[in-house]
Amino acid sequence: MNDAERRQALADFLRTRRARLSPSDVQLPTGSRRRTPGLRREEIAQLANIGTSWYVSLEQGRDVNPSEQVLESLSQALRLTSAERRHLFLLAQPHAMVHQQKGPEEQVSPSLELAVQALNPHPAYVLGRRWDLLTWNQAAELVFSFSRIHPPHSKNFIWRSFTNPALRKHRNWSLLAQSLTAQFRADSARYPGDPWFGELIEELKLLSEEFNLWWSLHDVKSVLDGHKRMEHEELGILEFEHVTLQVPGEVDQKVILYTCLPETASILAGLCSKHETLG
């Protein structure tokens, strides 16, 4: 995104965070009936101990440069989560970004490739900075069918999440996809100079009413680890413990690992062994 788009994104983010708060959330009197949901701009300014006109300038997308102290005060006033706080700083202080733009091609190191393949029967895959699938093991192929084509962005994880009919059949697809949208927004803000994100986002808006709605909410989330239960249409009930790992020395790459519970491990181990025999 360019500077004007970044400032507008910051303005929209502040507005949506303000709209979700009520006076009772921040111990303010309710007062007279409100015409719009959430707190008023002057109330946020009061809570953050900054000038109302200065805060209004931020919500209007004007070219102002808030300090870290001001951003921290706004973060507290708006009751931001840690992921939302990080997103606020990324939008407001792009000059502080330490990530350099890289070429379109990303590669996984040979040692990481070996490690991912050795994790069978536990599904594992590597995502790049644009959420492109860089590599995955046989267990991940069995569970997620990553080799199936979903043009024009077949290797992109967020694109597949909205275009793969099998994924959309999952009972909790709506909750999962909305969470992924918030995570993707948080990650995309790390690269304000990369036009590819804007292009994909516009394509997804045209493709999916759900994505268009969820993107407009300006929600951001960090990746959540924990228990995953999947109703696979071919393999049945699968259960995992899910974790996301940062690749040492590659700040733009992350390993997604699904550690199988015993019954699931037995199912996938047999299928992986069969595949190796056939191969």
Side-chain angles (χ1 to χ4, degrees), residues 43-89:
E43 290 171 331
I44 291 296
Q46 175 189 342
L47 290 168
N49 197 28
I50 60 176
T52 299
S53 61
W54 197 89
Y55 177 75
V56 169
S57 296
L58 278 176
E59 277 206 17
Q60 291 178 340
R62 297 181 185 176
D63 189 8
V64 295
N65 298 303
S67 66
E68 290 188 11
Q69 182 179 359
V70 167
L71 292 175
E72 193 62 58
S73 295
L74 281 174
S75 176
Q76 295 178 18
L78 292 166
R79 303 298 194 265
L80 300 185
T81 66
S82 58
E84 290 171 334
R85 176 187 176 278
R86 180 175 179 275
H87 189 67
L88 172 67
F89 274 76

Side-chain angles (χ1 to χ4, degrees), residues 38-218:
L39 296 180
R40 300 185 177 99
R41 288 171 172 173
E42 57 268 25
E43 290 171 331
I44 291 296
Q46 175 189 342
L47 290 168
N49 197 28
I50 60 176
T52 299
S53 61
W54 197 89
Y55 177 75
V56 169
S57 296
L58 278 176
E59 277 206 17
Q60 291 178 340
R62 297 181 185 176
D63 189 8
V64 295
N65 298 303
S67 66
E68 290 188 11
Q69 182 179 359
V70 167
L71 292 175
E72 193 62 58
S73 295
L74 281 174
S75 176
Q76 295 178 18
L78 292 166
R79 303 298 194 265
L80 300 185
T81 66
S82 58
E84 290 171 334
R85 176 187 176 278
R86 180 175 179 275
H87 189 67
L88 172 67
F89 274 76
L90 288 173
L91 291 176
Q93 295 187 331
H95 58 278
M97 294 298 300
V98 298
H99 301 295
Q100 298 179 352
Q101 296 300 322
K102 298 182 179 180
E105 296 297 327
E106 293 182 274
Q107 295 184 340
V108 171
S109 69
S111 57
L112 179 57
E113 176 70 36
L114 285 173
V116 169
Q117 301 306 322
L119 288 169
N120 283 314
H122 306 285
Y125 54 92
V126 179
L127 292 182
R129 76 180 189 278
R130 293 172 171 176
W131 282 36
D132 286 334
L133 289 154
L134 304 182
T135 191
W136 60 90
N137 61 12
Q138 181 58 32
E141 175 63 24
L142 290 168
V143 174
F144 301 109
S145 302
F146 285 146
S147 63
R148 292 182 185 174
I149 304 300
H150 296 277
H153 305 288
S154 294
K155 293 295 181 66
N156 186 264
F157 190 82
I158 190 72
W159 177 267
R160 295 179 64 90
S161 298
F162 282 88
T163 60
N164 186 334
L167 290 179
R168 293 180 65 95
K169 289 179 182 177
H170 290 172
R171 183 176 57 184
N172 295 324
W173 176 83
S174 183
L175 291 174
L176 292 172
Q178 185 171 1
S179 179
L180 286 174
T181 302
Q183 294 171 33
F184 186 70
R185 176 180 280 281
D187 277 2
S188 67
R190 297 169 59 198
Y191 308 99
D194 189 341
W196 180 92
F197 284 99
E199 294 169 5
L200 179 69
I201 289 163
E202 290 306 312
E203 288 186 56
L204 281 168
K205 284 181 179 179
L206 293 174
L207 172 81
S208 169
E209 292 182 1
E210 297 100 332
F211 181 87
N212 194 21
L213 170 62
W214 297 331
W215 191 259
S216 70
L217 298 178
H218 288 265

Side-chain angles (χ1 to χ4, degrees), residues 3-24:
D3 279 347
E5 292 169 335
R6 175 189 58 79
R7 291 195 299 270
Q8 186 58 53
L10 174 61
D12 292 339
F13 180 68
L14 291 171
R15 177 180 49 78
T16 55
R17 300 312 90 179
R18 175 171 61 83
R20 72 181 181 182
L21 292 174
S22 66
S24 61

